[in-house]
Amino acid sequence: MPTDAHQLARSVARMNRRLRQERQSDLTPTQLSVLGAVLKIGPATPSAIAAHERVRPPSITRTLTHLVDEGLAIREPHPDDGRQVLISLADKGDAVLAEERTRRDLWLGHRLAELTTDERATLREAAALLERLAQS
């Protein structure tokens, strides 16, 4: 019999996979995640973005280069430290994220509408707990 941890991990993985099926962008999940991080934290150094994404700075360099090259992010000199750069979200990147979010939320909204009021309340509580677990 699967443990609670196993069941939860499996369910989260399946939901993540299902939500990814709603994507229409050519961007990888990592690229979308990094764009979302830049949206959330605002202009930031690559090191700060890597810390937010919990990856090593060298591994984020390629992703950021791709996003900048595609016009989804902007690389600018750091105003206080000439050795650093700041990465910010370009309008095109914001539009891609908004489109992906809208598509995902539309699909999920339809699925949630099929649930009872109590089931939706349970999922709201679970979402807060999952967020807390993800931050640990």
Side-chain angles (χ1 to χ4, degrees):
M1 183 162 173
T3 64
D4 288 345
H6 177 78
Q7 287 179 334
L8 179 60
R10 186 177 63 205
S11 295
V12 168
R14 290 178 60 109
M15 178 57 79
N16 186 37
R17 193 171 344 160
R18 183 59 188 91
L19 290 171
R20 281 194 322 251
Q21 290 173 350
E22 293 303 310
R23 288 187 29 235
Q24 300 249 329
S25 169
D26 290 334
L27 297 176
T28 68
T30 298
Q31 292 164 344
L32 283 169
S33 181
V34 169
L35 271 182
V38 175
L39 173 67
K40 182 175 182 177
I41 64 177
T45 63
S47 296
I49 297 167
H52 184 273
E53 290 293 287
R54 296 186 178 191
V55 299
R56 296 181 189 268
S59 65
I60 204 141
T61 301
R62 186 175 5 174
T63 300
L64 291 174
T65 297
H66 177 80
L67 295 174
V68 169
D69 289 349
E70 293 296 314
L72 301 165
I74 300 166
R75 180 183 290 126
E76 298 175 309
H78 194 291
D80 302 326
D81 184 348
R83 300 166 296 162
Q84 294 279 344
V85 296
L86 289 179
I87 304 294
S88 59
L89 197 63
D91 289 343
K92 183 178 175 183
D94 190 46
V96 166
L97 285 175
E99 184 179 319
E100 291 296 321
R101 192 177 319 110
T102 297
R103 184 177 295 103
R104 178 203 62 210
D105 291 354
L106 184 62
W107 175 84
L108 192 52
H110 287 303
R111 301 296 76 79
L112 291 171
E114 298 168 355
L115 301 177
T116 67
T117 301
D118 288 343
E119 289 170 328
R120 286 192 303 274
T122 298
L123 284 177
R124 270 192 301 281
E125 291 174 20
L129 293 173
L130 288 169
E131 185 65 28
R132 203 167 88 207
L133 286 173
Q135 298 300 322
S136 65

